[in-house]
Amino acid sequence: MIDFMLNGRPCRSEATPETSVLELLRDTLGATGTKEGCASGDCGACTVAIGEPGPNGELRYHSANACITPAHQLNGRYLVTVEGLAQGEKLHPAQAAMVACHGSQCGFCTPGIVMSLFTLHEQQRHTPAPLTPQRLEAALGGNLCRCTGYRPIRDAALSMNQHPENRPLWLDAAAETQPAEPKNEAKAADNDAAFLQPTTLAALTDCLKRHPKARLVAGATDLWLESTQRLARFEHVIDVTRVAELNDIDEATLEDGRSGWWIGAAVTYSRLEPLLEAHYDAFAHLLHRLGSQQVRNRGTLGGNVANASPIGDTPPVLLALGSRLRLVGPEGERELPLDDFFLDYKRTALREGEAIRAIFLPRPEAGQTLKVWKLSKRREDDISAVLGAFAYRLENGVMRDVRLAFGGMAAIPKRAASTEAALEGKAPDLAAFQAAREALSNDFQPMSDVRGSAHYRRLSAANLLERLRLSIAQADTDSPREVMLHAYAH
């Protein structure tokens, strides 16, 4: 049973474990304003807003793709759809601005766009900030429209504050009306409950012990494609998003003296972004290449690692930075280097009944540089063909602590050991990088698939090394070529 608030009203509904929020809305509740476009989290037609209490008790809303959000994750949450915005003839500023700016033509994608504008409008109320082009791109980048050319939609975003503040009357009162207390199925007597939502690490390990083959879900930005695209059915699902310990970001120092942060496996990309912006600009920028705002609001670093995809975006970066993992299971906790986690295609060092508890992100070392370059068919919201992550220091004119990792070049995200050795202790000159490019063939024998041929991948990886050489060579200049390199590099 799912208990939540739908447009300010208590709602209770049943659903199977693999049911999405979109299916619940359209098929069970008859709320058909939310549209299905791609059913894979790409087009944004199904965008809704999900509210959770903030640090001071106020409701904070984030945009989400309803097509790949598990319906059971609505337990105890506040859901807003396009039907809930207008008050009779009084339109919400997001709706009024779209009308005034002619932001809708065929109208199919419009509900999703309006909901993205709604969440932007709510964010502006809590934390006003200039609506820069970058901020608009982040807010609307997950909504595709084939009719308008986007300019009218951007105009609508910029003009929302010019319209009367006709927010729904129930919106401000929503925080005072709590959904029914969700049943904590992790502690339920019924051990065969299909969708489990533990709230503590102890409850999670108990779930893992009772259901070692259950599918674990956090953001569901990948797992739920098995339901929407392959029509899979799940016998048991364990939702880790409510586990308090998996939502922490803790500063720590390892036994080897390295300091950094343990990132809980359920921490979303959106929560992680400020930390990365402060310490790893290239990593932070990658998040905007990884997926839309809707995806970043739900997807997690832990899920991207556990998924073990050879074209996952974050594992090569974490490998280059020397990250570690903390795993938890019925037998307790253990740690291991990320280098030892990926074993073969979609096969990891996780034992039966284990899960990732946290990922260690090292603090940047003095003089360390990180470069991350992703090659994909689309600039935004697309899967990598090849991704290269390069970490190094320059000391007395030579490269030190060189760690290079690639995605899309093997069955797993993998470091380029021979290529690293070719550059370690060498000046970053033509000869050293020529040797490094030749060493790539010892590290990788890529395959061909729909995203790129083996030849394309070998050539692209070698060209990324050349880009690294040029970036180092021109690091102290302000030439147009250097600006071009960095525009595509981060």
Side-chain angles (χ1 to χ4, degrees):
M1 190 64 68
I2 310 170
D3 292 291
F4 63 104
M5 300 293 292
L6 174 59
N7 295 328
R9 297 180 179 179
C11 185
R12 167 171 284 197
S13 184
E14 293 184 354
T16 58
E18 64 278 349
T19 301
S20 69
V21 170
L22 179 64
E23 291 174 308
L24 182 70
L25 286 171
R26 294 185 62 86
D27 299 341
T28 303
L29 303 178
T32 56
T34 305
K35 307 302 183 186
E36 178 177 333
C38 63
S40 59
D42 287 331
C43 73
C46 67
T47 301
V48 295
I50 298 176
E52 301 177 29
N56 299 317
E58 76 284 6
L59 279 183
R60 295 296 180 93
Y61 290 94
H62 67 263
S63 57
N65 292 308
C67 67
I68 54 172
T69 299
H72 284 269
Q73 288 188 340
L74 293 176
N75 248 338
R77 299 295 186 246
Y78 301 78
L79 179 64
V80 182
T81 68
V82 70
E83 290 95 339
L85 298 188
Q87 302 179 78
E89 297 297 318
K90 296 180 180 180
L91 299 180
H92 185 276
Q95 297 169 308
M98 284 285 284
V99 172
C101 296
H102 305 285
S104 175
Q105 289 191 23
C106 82
F108 188 87
C109 62
T110 303
I113 294 170
V114 167
M115 293 312 301
S116 289
L117 291 178
F118 164 79
T119 55
L120 179 63
H121 187 264
E122 287 296 300
Q123 291 165 8
Q124 284 293 88
R125 293 185 71 253
H126 288 292
T127 53
L131 291 178
T132 62
Q134 294 79 7
R135 192 157 179 231
L136 288 181
E137 181 178 331
L140 294 168
N143 293 92
L144 303 184
C145 178
R146 298 182 64 181
C147 300
T148 65
Y150 299 107
R151 185 191 58 77
I153 299 169
R154 294 170 66 91
D155 291 345
L158 292 169
S159 64
M160 283 191 292
N161 63 353
Q162 300 173 14
H163 294 272
E165 187 69 358
N166 292 325
R167 297 170 69 251
L169 296 176
W170 57 262
L171 203 56
D172 292 322
E176 302 174 6
T177 307
Q178 298 291 327
E181 185 68 22
K183 179 181 178 183
N184 186 350
E185 294 189 67
K187 298 178 181 178
D190 179 9
N191 288 348
D192 293 323
F195 198 97
L196 305 167
Q197 286 185 314
T199 57
T200 66
L201 195 60
L204 172 61
T205 55
D206 180 61
C207 288
L208 291 168
K209 186 175 182 178
R210 290 192 279 113
H211 303 291
K213 297 187 182 299
R215 305 300 298 271
L216 270 65
V217 65
T221 56
D222 187 81
L223 175 62
W224 239 244
L225 298 183
E226 294 186 23
S227 173
T228 63
Q229 306 297 301
R230 302 176 188 174
L231 305 180
R233 294 293 176 260
F234 306 134
E235 184 177 357
H236 291 100
V237 176
I238 301 175
D239 176 14
V240 302
T241 61
R242 307 295 175 95
V243 179
E245 295 90 337
L246 269 59
N247 282 281
D248 293 334
I249 300 178
D250 297 319
E251 289 196 54
T253 301
L254 301 182
E255 292 182 359
D256 61 10
R258 290 188 301 162
S259 64
W261 304 267
W262 281 107
I263 311 298
V267 171
T268 65
Y269 295 126
S270 293
R271 278 193 59 206
L272 181 60
E273 195 170 347
L275 178 65
L276 296 183
E277 287 176 343
H279 299 282
Y280 289 111
D281 180 65
F283 200 172
H285 188 85
L286 175 65
L287 297 188
H288 288 263
R289 297 287 311 277
L290 179 149
S292 65
Q293 186 74 68
Q294 292 94 320
V295 169
R296 295 192 296 274
N297 287 337
R298 306 293 299 175
T300 65
L301 190 64
N304 203 228
V305 172
N307 189 38
S309 170
I311 49 176
D313 284 347
T314 65
V317 187
L318 296 171
L319 285 169
L321 294 176
S323 293
R324 293 183 63 84
L325 297 180
R326 182 174 288 167
L327 310 180
V328 63
E331 304 304 318
E333 295 188 12
R334 63 186 178 109
E335 291 183 18
L336 78 164
L338 186 61
D339 298 56
D340 299 335
F341 182 70
F342 303 108
L343 304 180
D344 203 345
Y345 178 73
K346 290 284 191 175
R347 191 164 68 86
T348 71
L350 282 172
R351 299 167 182 165
E352 188 173 86
E354 273 191 328
I356 297 176
R357 175 176 177 176
I359 302 98
F360 184 75
L361 177 69
R363 189 182 297 273
E365 298 179 5
Q368 184 186 50
T369 297
L370 173 69
K371 298 290 185 183
V372 182
W373 291 311
K374 172 177 176 174
L375 304 179
S376 55
K377 291 183 179 180
R378 295 195 306 261
R379 275 285 299 164
E380 310 292 341
D381 197 14
D382 199 5
I383 296 172
S384 297
V386 176
L387 187 144
F390 313 107
Y392 61 92
R393 291 187 302 110
L394 284 177
E395 183 180 282
N396 299 322
V398 300
M399 298 182 72
R400 297 292 186 190
D401 300 328
V402 179
R403 293 178 66 96
L404 315 177
F406 286 87
M409 294 290 289
I412 59 174
K414 182 183 173 185
R415 284 176 60 190
S418 299
T419 311
E420 291 174 353
L423 292 175
E424 183 67 36
K426 305 293 195 306
D429 55 23
L430 280 169
F433 273 86
Q434 176 62 33
R437 290 194 295 273
E438 292 173 357
L440 271 175
S441 60
N442 297 324
D443 290 319
F444 300 107
Q445 293 78 44
M447 63 174 287
S448 297
D449 61 19
V450 295
R451 295 182 182 86
S453 67
H455 172 73
Y456 169 82
R457 287 187 159 106
R458 284 192 295 268
L459 181 62
S460 297
N463 286 343
L464 290 182
L465 285 176
E466 176 64 6
R467 179 181 285 182
L468 177 61
R469 184 189 71 81
L470 292 173
S471 179
I472 295 172
Q474 300 179 358
D476 296 326
T477 72
D478 292 320
S479 69
R481 191 175 189 182
E482 170 68 3
V483 173
M484 179 274 292
L485 281 170
H486 283 276
Y488 287 89
H490 295 305

